[in-house]
Amino acid sequence: MDRRSFVKGTLVAVPGAVVLQSAPAWAQSPGYGSDIDILNYALVAEYFLSEFYRRGKVQMSGKGARYIQSIGDDEDGHIAAITQTIQNLGGSPVQAPGLDYGKALTSQSTFLEFALRFENLFARAYLGAAPAIQNKEILQAAAGIYGVEERHAAIVAQLLGREPEGGVYVGAVNEPTDKATVLKAIEPYLKGAKAATSGAAVTL
Amino acid sequence: MAAGQLFDGEPVIEFSSDRDRRTFLKWAGIIGVGSTLTVLLRSGYVAAQTEDDDIDILNYVLTLEYLEADFYERGLGADRLSGRDLALVEPIGAHERAHVSLITSTVEKLGGTPVEQPSFNYPSGTFGSRDKFLQAAYTFEALGVTAYHGQVTNFQNGELLAAAATIAGTESRHAAILADLTGQNPFPRPLEKQASRNQVLQTAGKFIRG
């Protein structure tokens, strides 16, 4: 997969010379590093989902196929936005990892269950990282992406006919998940050492 | 569809005290009522964005949550839904009530005074059918999502920021499901849209009874 094929435009208007202000008092969540590190962390998650939908959407038909196409397009849009933002900040975007989703692609139900699991996980990952983001424009964009991941999760659960509370919804508020938990969850699906060596920003 | 089209410009928010009403209007930086407010907003008047404190922002979103909670209580009370529709919408009403409690207690913990619940008036027919109720619900949820995203970065306190973000995420789920139920696109944009207080008031403010 050619990362650059995703870079079709800029969704986030981050000026080329963003001056990072000193961290606000609340931006002290440990383990997330700089804003560029957080963006690269998010980028791995977006690559993970984007590629999953690209390979698995053949499982769907009708309205479900249209929804999954839209969801996959959103993830591509997130990749483009995050990649561009990292570059605007003078950082190096991580490369797309090699991925093997195993049996998740074998049927419509395994496909949707896997999608639901990781949409939920990555939504919570954004919540976990949000307080560590120092630049307000990046925070705004990350929140905007986060909300869309919540939409994806709800609709995938709806396609699965899951129970409303505890399936389509996760209560009145969602819970954050820390970075270590997220990386551990995706690790079994990463192929080779490429992702691990692609940058110190995302340590697997 | 804008709420303005739905409700035909009739007032739906009636504040229980003049203080609460003034507070709500102050959020747009405008002290005024009814047509004056609308005219100012329509003419492109942009109030100076001040560094609002967190309590002020919380009271602003609390008013929107009151509106949503009340809306679902009445809508569900009208008994227009059944089956999967009903199963999906009932929890939304519960979430909005929980958001009201959460924000109220947060304002109190911060030493502030939560705004009291305004009374809301809905034009007849708002809950007249499944489609009307769900379409109105979709409009409110879409407004709520953009309202939260317009405030997320304004919070000074990181915990509040995270709490506001997760409430916004819940509203995103609601909006997506209501879009699905009403035959609309659950994924209109790759990033959630944001709306300033002025923009939200441009929709909600039309219905304030002065």
Side-chain angles (χ1 to χ4, degrees):
Chain A
M1 181 166 45
D2 177 5
R3 178 183 54 76
R4 272 175 290 189
S5 70
F6 291 121
V7 185
K8 294 166 187 154
T10 305
L11 292 165
V12 189
V14 174
V18 171
V19 179
L20 290 177
Q21 298 167 341
S22 60
W26 46 264
Q28 291 172 349
S29 307
Y32 285 101
S34 70
D35 283 357
I36 289 172
D37 293 339
I38 294 170
L39 287 166
N40 268 323
Y41 167 53
L43 186 54
V44 169
E46 298 292 349
Y47 274 131
F48 186 90
L49 281 178
S50 167
E51 185 61 15
F52 181 70
Y53 290 121
R54 195 180 328 284
R55 294 187 203 174
K57 63 186 176 186
V58 65
Q59 298 287 350
M60 305 301 298
S61 61
K63 186 166 86 169
R66 291 196 299 278
Y67 280 173
I68 293 299
Q69 180 67 46
S70 291
I71 292 174
D73 288 348
D74 283 348
E75 312 300 8
D76 290 350
H78 297 165
I79 289 170
I82 294 167
T83 300
Q84 187 68 57
T85 303
I86 291 170
Q87 289 169 341
N88 287 350
L89 292 170
S92 300
V94 291
Q95 293 183 351
L99 290 157
D100 180 353
Y101 302 102
K103 292 176 181 171
L105 295 170
T106 52
S107 74
Q108 186 180 109
S109 64
T110 59
F111 168 68
L112 290 174
E113 292 286 354
F114 189 93
L116 178 59
R117 178 184 164 204
F118 282 96
E119 290 286 359
N120 275 327
L121 182 71
F122 294 149
R124 291 194 295 267
Y126 274 103
L127 275 184
I133 298 173
Q134 296 172 24
N135 179 290
K136 292 257 173 183
E137 288 179 70
I138 293 171
L139 177 64
Q140 183 82 62
I145 292 175
Y146 155 72
V148 170
E149 306 297 4
E150 294 276 26
R151 284 177 186 256
H152 295 171
I155 292 296
V156 171
Q158 169 77 335
L159 290 173
L160 281 163
R162 292 284 290 268
E163 67 282 12
E165 194 61 273
V168 174
Y169 311 120
V170 289
V173 295
N174 205 347
E175 297 294 325
T177 297
D178 65 74
K179 186 174 173 178
T181 303
V182 172
L183 295 180
K184 193 178 170 194
I186 65 174
E187 195 173 15
Y189 307 99
L190 298 174
K191 228 170 29 179
K194 192 177 174 188
T197 58
S198 61
V202 180
T203 308
L204 293 166
Chain B
M1 186 188 291
Q5 294 167 283
L6 268 177
F7 299 125
D8 204 27
E10 293 184 47
V12 297
I13 304 179
E14 189 174 356
F15 290 94
S16 60
S17 75
D18 215 40
R19 185 185 66 83
D20 284 355
R21 182 185 57 76
R22 284 199 308 272
T23 301
F24 191 74
L25 295 174
K26 180 171 73 73
W27 291 326
I30 299 163
I31 304 295
V33 293
S35 59
T36 309
L37 172 68
T38 307
V39 167
L40 284 170
L41 291 171
R42 282 192 179 145
S43 65
Y45 175 87
V46 179
Q49 290 291 323
T50 54
E51 292 259 297
D52 301 310
D53 65 24
D54 289 349
I55 291 170
D56 204 24
I57 301 170
L58 289 169
N59 269 326
Y60 160 66
V61 293
L62 177 56
T63 301
L64 298 176
E65 294 289 354
Y66 275 136
L67 177 57
E68 290 187 323
D70 182 80
F71 172 82
Y72 285 106
E73 190 181 333
R74 297 208 201 178
L76 287 164
D79 202 21
R80 302 293 179 194
L81 305 182
S82 61
R84 183 77 174 168
D85 288 344
L86 180 61
L88 286 166
V89 173
E90 273 183 329
I92 299 181
H95 294 162
E96 309 303 4
R97 291 195 301 277
H99 293 165
V100 167
S101 303
L102 176 67
I103 297 167
T104 300
S105 63
T106 304
V107 170
E108 285 167 348
K109 262 184 237 166
L110 292 170
T113 305
V115 288
E116 288 176 39
Q117 174 159 4
S119 61
F120 304 100
N121 300 298
Y122 306 92
S124 62
T126 302
F127 307 111
S129 70
R130 172 206 182 265
D131 289 354
K132 282 187 176 176
F133 173 33
L134 294 182
Q135 180 61 49
Y138 173 76
T139 303
F140 277 129
E141 295 295 344
L143 184 69
V145 169
T146 60
Y148 274 102
H149 283 277
Q151 299 304 321
V152 162
T153 62
N154 292 334
F155 283 103
Q156 302 297 309
N157 176 314
E159 285 176 36
L160 291 181
L161 184 154
T166 181
I167 293 176
T170 304
E171 308 291 359
S172 288
R173 285 191 189 234
H174 298 168
I177 290 301
L178 286 161
D180 180 54
L181 296 181
T182 53
Q184 299 172 86
N185 181 7
F187 315 114
R189 309 173 83 247
L191 276 77
E192 295 289 8
K193 207 168 137 186
Q194 51 188 287
S196 67
R197 292 182 188 190
N198 285 342
Q199 289 165 327
V200 172
L201 285 171
Q202 206 158 9
T203 302
K206 286 171 192 163
F207 314 120
I208 298 171
R209 178 172 287 174

